[in-house]
Each structure stands twice: as structure tokens, then as C-alpha cells.
Amino acid sequence: MKKTMHPPPPTHTPPTPCRAGKVYLIGAGPGDPELITVKGLKLLQRAEVVVYDYLASKKLLKHVPQAAQLVYVGKMGGVHHAHTQDEINQMLVDFARQGKLVVRLKGGDPFIFGRGGEEIEMLVEHGIAYEVVPGVTSATAAATYAGVPITHRQHTTSVAFVTGHEDPTKAASTIAWDKIATGIGTLVFYMGIKNLPIITEKLMAHGRSPETPVVVVRWASTPEQQSVEGTLATIADKVQAARIKPPALIVVGEVVSLRDKINWYEKRPLFGKRILVTRTREQASELVHRLEDLGANCLEGSTIALVPPDSWAALDKELHRLADYDWLLFTSINAIKFFFQRLTEIGMDARDLKGPKIGVVGTTTAEFLQGHGLRADLLPEEFTAEGLAAALEKEGMSGKKVLLPRAAKAREVLPETLATAGAEVVTVPVYRNVQPADYAEVRQALEEKAIDLITFTSSSTVINFLEMLHCADEAEQQRLLDGVKIATIGPITAKTASQNGMAIHIQPKTFTIPALVDAILAYYASRR
Ligand code: SAH
């Protein structure tokens, strides 16, 4: 018999990437993007490829470097697989072989009903380097965010995580229903919504009391969280009546009764309120953070994007003769931002502003200016352009030279009032408002009546918002805004809104973001 011939040894070694790739299997946490671990976040910030699932919060992707490749391999309740598990496994191997730092991001914890084990086995087989970063699993998050301590000395000493996805018609169940029904204190079922009637029946049939409290929690730890409470006997009907769909968890056990006392998350004052915040992308965050802290579910409809003016020539000219001016006025933080951006670009800095006195429109503007190392000389009592004009008139404007850097399109009340009072006012554009192209998400939310409240923080947010809705006529606008409450930051914005056919429900006494938030709270408190 002929001896097996071995192929000759290769004359050259195959090219190896300059550095070896590595796969980090990371738990994204249950839903709230802030519940990822510090380690997971740091790795995301260095990722070159991110392969992520349906349940991993999309908000986490904003931490990924711009140049990174994002691959969605979504899985929704076992259906709509964008990629098969084999394809995902192969993808991880391939990216790592290209020398990439690969983050495999999964909802909750990757090793709890996440098929993380299978993905790692494949990496081991191919000799790929890897690490696993655990995550907050949705079971503990759902219990916590529904006000249920998953264990408690007075109620239970054991807890089990169980799949609710097992084919209920399977003759030989791999779940030991007889043992878990009464042998374990708290039971948490993943992927069990469809099978809920069977799960509760099995538990009762194997001796668990029908009175055992149960809570079902959907989209736990997110602003969309919904929970339905009942007992083993009643929960299936209640969940069906509430039309709860996946993803949701079923928490069964005496600890659920503690929810009455410690349901901290759902008791926040704006919980469940869906608020559309119309602001520039740059500015929306403060308002959004405050509202979200109070439990609101915010949709950011950026009605305005801010860009530099068509030309800097007008500002440049005035910057070189700042010493001629008596006053420099800022009526928005955007004006300050773009003004300083240009000042720095042309090699000047705050020291060049020592000549003129500086006036601002309100405390927010004053604080922002302070951030640039400058104290405002004048702050009006009323935080509007009219208020600033009145304060300046008191200072005496006759013969004074005033520089007003501002938006390309702006109200004329301030320069006109000052000119009438005898000042020479020079306005220069430092930024322009442009409308972001895509407003489809906002429109759809309004169509679906998924918005409770809209906030407007300037007249231009009102006007741009309406323009972007593209309503055919007033009737369509009325239909879209029917039932939606409107909050405006101040009287000018309110006037613009009402002139455009909106009824104003919320209007703070002082015209700041914190005051607007307080007014929103007071409004809902009075209706409770
Ligand atoms: N690895 C994940 C579980 C994936 S299995 C983890 O550790 O959490 C998918 C199931 O998890 C869903 O069917 C649902 O039962 C549960 N789940 C995941 N995120 C959830 C959330 N935010 N709220 C409620 N259930 C969730």
C-alpha cells in the first residue's frame, strides 16, 4: 500500500496581521444604556468592529469610535433573525483574523440565555483570543426596576432563572417543574410571555399556591417599562388584557408583594410621560436629562441644526476694532459659542474683549459666558430681548456703540430699541439655523399618538417644527397635535406657538430650563 504523502512544508509562512485580533463578549446590561459596566464601556470606546443584538441598547453605539464598523445581527424573540448563529460565529472569527478589536455586544449578561457560550466555544476552536465581560442581566434589573428585591431574608433564600421558551408541547420537559414549583423561592422566567398560561398552570399543578404574587415586566429599566401585577391564578389573563408583548420577564414569588412599598422607578413623577423635546441637537441634552431623571420618556426632535454663517467677514471686521465698542451683547449661548469659536480661529482670545462692557440676556447665557472666563456686566431682570433692551436703556444708550453677534435670522426688537435710544448698533451673523432633513420619526410618533407633551424653547423651534411636519393644511396639523400638551419656555415662544394655532398648557414664570421643568412637574402633579 502506498504511503500517505505529506505535503511539503511551506516555503514561506502565511502573512499574519501586524497584531492579533481579539473578541470581547460584552454584556450591554438590561436596557438602560447606563447600566453597562465601566469595563464594557471602555472597550466599546476602543472597538473597531461592534457586532450587536436587538436587545443591546442602540444608545450605547454613540460611544463607539466613528471609524468603527457596526454590524447588526438582531434577534427578536427567536424570529426575524438577521443572521443565523453560525453566521455570527463565523463573522467573529473572520473579524478577529483581520486583526480587529471586536466587541460582541449582547443584551443583559452574555452567558444568561444569550448563547454567549456557543460563540466562545467557536472562538476557542479557532484559537481566537477573547474575554468575557459580564452584564446586569434583565432578571435582576426587571425585579429591581419593578420594586422587587429578588431575595429577602423574610421571604426567600433562593432564586432561579428559567427559560420560558421551551416548547410547551414537548413531552419530556427539561425543566423539573415538580422541583422548582415549590423548591425555589423566587422564579424568573425569560422569554416566557407566549407560554405564560402554561407556565402558571405547571407551577400551580405542581403545588405552588395560586395566590403567589407575580409581576410581568416589559422593557425593564427603560422609559418604556410596563409592568403588570397579579397572582399565579390571575396573571395570564391580566397580561393578555394589557397586551404585553416580548421582551418581558415573569417574576414569581413572595418577594413581589414588597412592590407596594418600594416601587421607586415607576413612582417617579413623570414616569410614562412621552415628551418631544424640540431643541437644537447641541442644547437638547440639559432639558432631556432633567426630564428623564424625573421618569419621562423623551424623544429628541432636533428642529434646528446650527452651522456657521455663510461668511465670517462681517464678524472678523468688527473683531479687529473691538476697542471702538461700548457694549458687546449676547442673547443666546449659541451666539457666544460661535463668537468664541471664530475668535480662537483667528488667533485672538478673551483678553481682546477687555474694552466693551458685556450684556447678556439671562442667567444661562451669563453662566456660559463665565465658562469662557468673562463676567457679564449687565443681566436684565426679565430674561428676554425686551428685558435686555430695557436694562440697557436705563444705562443710557445715547451715542453708544453696540456690537450684537447673533443668528443670521433674528428678531429686530433689541437693535431697533437701542437705535431709537440713540445707540449705533452693529449686528453680525455668527451662526445660521438650518433644518435637519429627517423628521420622519417625530411625525410617526405624532401619528401614533405616542407623544403626551411637546416642549418649545424658542420661536424658531416652533416655526421649524411646524415646517418640518409638512402638514397639508391646518386640519392636518390639528389632527396631529390633538391631545398633545404644549409647554413653552417664555411669552415670546408662547405667542409664536399660539399664533400658529397651538394651545399653550405649560408656561413657567421665569424663562429658564429648570423653571420649565418645574412647570411641567406642577402641571402633571395638579392633574393627578
Ligand atoms: N442575555 C439576556 C437575556 C436574553 S434572552 C439577559 O441576560 O438579560 C431574551 C429575553 O430576555 C427576553 O425574551 C426577555 O424575557 C428578557 N429581557 C431582556 N431584556 C429585557 C428587558 N429590558 N425587559 C424585560 N425583559 C427583558
Side-chain angles (χ1 to χ4, degrees):
M1 210 166 119
K2 218 171 149 198
K3 237 177 128 195
T4 318
M5 286 273 290
H6 288 289
T11 48
H12 61 88
T13 44
T16 44
C18 27
R19 71 194 162 86
K22 187 164 174 178
V23 177
Y24 293 87
L25 179 60
I26 297 177
D32 178 348
E34 297 203 328
L35 288 176
I36 191 171
T37 59
V38 175
K39 185 162 192 167
L41 179 62
K42 283 186 173 167
L43 286 163
L44 262 187
Q45 288 165 340
R46 292 172 45 211
E48 290 170 304
V49 181
V50 180
V51 180
Y52 64 101
D53 276 359
Y54 170 65
L55 284 172
S57 171
K58 307 291 165 290
K59 290 189 177 161
L60 283 169
L61 299 176
K62 70 168 188 254
H63 300 293
V64 174
Q66 287 261 306
Q69 187 178 345
L70 301 177
V71 187
Y72 176 64
V73 292
K75 282 190 205 175
M76 247 165 102
V79 286
H80 309 309
H81 288 224
H83 291 267
T84 65
Q85 189 63 48
D86 284 345
E87 283 169 358
I88 297 170
N89 294 351
Q90 192 58 50
M91 207 183 281
L92 297 178
V93 170
D94 291 346
F95 281 128
R97 287 210 169 128
Q98 290 162 23
K100 297 271 165 64
L101 191 161
V102 186
V103 166
R104 170 71 176 115
L105 192 64
K106 281 175 169 286
D109 182 282
F111 279 177
I112 298 183
F113 303 122
R115 304 188 72 166
E118 294 163 50
E119 291 177 16
I120 296 295
E121 281 174 312
M122 178 79 166
L123 297 176
V124 172
E125 260 171 49
H126 288 81
I128 306 282
Y130 68 90
E131 277 186 40
V132 186
V133 181
V136 175
T137 189
S138 54
T140 52
T144 302
Y145 280 74
V148 176
I150 208 162
T151 72
H152 189 288
R153 281 205 304 171
Q154 261 129 50
H155 298 278
T156 177
T157 49
S158 60
V159 54
F161 296 160
V162 188
T163 172
H165 187 51
E166 195 178 72
D167 181 356
T169 55
K170 201 156 97 180
S173 172
T174 54
I175 298 171
W177 293 99
D178 55 331
K179 298 203 174 73
I180 65 163
T182 51
I184 288 175
T186 310
L187 295 164
V188 188
F189 292 89
Y190 290 69
M191 305 169 281
I193 291 306
K194 213 173 90 214
N195 291 339
L196 181 60
I198 302 167
I199 291 169
T200 49
E201 252 169 50
K202 290 252 189 206
L203 292 175
M204 290 186 287
H206 287 94
R208 193 77 178 231
S209 161
E211 301 305 318
T212 312
V214 182
V215 64
V216 167
V217 192
R218 177 168 198 254
W219 278 128
S221 81
T222 74
E224 287 101 72
Q225 175 171 317
Q226 250 181 304
S227 63
V228 177
E229 202 178 330
T231 62
L232 272 185
T234 64
I235 193 72
D237 287 344
K238 284 187 165 182
V239 162
Q240 196 190 12
R243 302 213 177 121
I244 300 284
K245 293 196 184 70
L249 285 153
I250 308 157
V251 185
V252 181
E254 298 310 322
V255 282
V256 173
S257 63
L258 292 162
R259 192 170 133 80
D260 289 344
K261 252 194 238 163
I262 45 183
N263 192 3
W264 60 279
Y265 185 71
E266 296 177 359
K267 281 191 181 145
R268 293 172 309 157
L270 297 180
F271 180 75
K273 295 282 176 290
R274 295 150 307 173
I275 303 181
L276 170 61
V277 177
T278 63
R279 281 203 91 171
T280 60
R281 177 63 66 206
E282 294 78 7
Q283 285 183 331
S285 48
E286 190 201 347
L287 182 53
V288 169
H289 284 158
R290 283 176 187 261
L291 294 172
E292 283 181 348
D293 271 352
L294 294 162
N297 182 2
C298 290
L299 175 64
E300 286 178 62
S302 262
T303 57
I304 315 179
L306 298 183
V307 296
D310 292 326
S311 156
W312 285 112
L315 178 67
D316 289 356
K317 192 167 137 208
E318 304 312 322
L319 285 178
H320 289 110
R321 53 179 192 209
L322 277 170
D324 297 351
Y325 281 96
D326 299 294
W327 284 98
L328 172 61
L329 305 179
F330 292 110
T331 51
S332 72
I333 62 173
N334 294 317
I336 299 177
K337 201 153 105 190
F338 282 94
F339 178 88
F340 275 89
Q341 183 186 318
R342 186 59 186 168
L343 192 75
T344 314
E345 268 170 22
I346 60 173
M348 297 171 79
D349 64 26
R351 288 171 300 182
D352 296 298
L353 302 181
K354 65 179 179 297
K357 285 189 178 175
I358 303 182
V360 295
V361 74
T363 43
T364 315
T365 333
E367 276 161 27
F368 196 73
L369 185 68
Q370 191 99 55
H372 287 276
L374 294 169
R375 199 191 305 276
D377 299 291
L378 183 75
L379 177 72
E381 267 165 37
E382 194 196 288
F383 301 162
T384 59
E386 285 83 351
L388 179 58
L392 283 161
E393 277 182 304
K394 270 197 212 149
E395 297 275 318
M397 279 289 111
S398 178
K400 299 287 187 226
K401 225 179 148 188
V402 180
L403 180 61
L404 176 58
R406 60 176 193 169
K409 262 196 243 161
R411 293 198 308 136
E412 293 303 332
V413 58
L414 180 59
E416 277 172 7
T417 314
L418 298 181
T420 311
E424 185 195 330
V425 187
V426 175
T427 59
V428 286
V430 289
Y431 66 94
R432 281 180 301 137
N433 291 337
V434 293
Q435 297 177 355
D438 183 21
Y439 219 59
E441 193 188 352
V442 167
R443 206 191 148 93
Q444 191 188 341
L446 287 166
E447 291 276 3
E448 291 168 358
K449 292 285 155 214
I451 303 284
D452 296 306
L453 171 75
I454 309 180
T455 64
F456 292 109
T457 49
S458 68
S459 292
S460 35
T461 57
V462 176
I463 290 161
N464 285 358
F465 166 76
L466 291 175
E467 276 181 18
M468 275 183 298
L469 277 191
H470 280 308
C471 291
D473 53 23
E474 228 169 83
E476 188 185 7
Q477 180 186 320
Q478 292 304 340
R479 178 179 61 78
L480 283 179
L481 297 184
D482 184 38
V484 180
K485 306 288 181 268
I486 304 290
T488 52
I489 196 163
I492 310 286
T493 314
K495 196 169 153 207
T496 310
S498 53
Q499 279 169 350
N500 284 284
M502 295 183 202
I504 316 299
H505 304 87
I506 299 168
Q507 157 79 80
K509 289 206 179 67
T510 54
F511 318 138
T512 62
I513 297 290
L516 177 62
V517 173
D518 286 345
I520 293 172
L521 273 178
Y523 177 79
Y524 283 113
S526 72
R527 289 160 61 91
R528 214 170 289 135

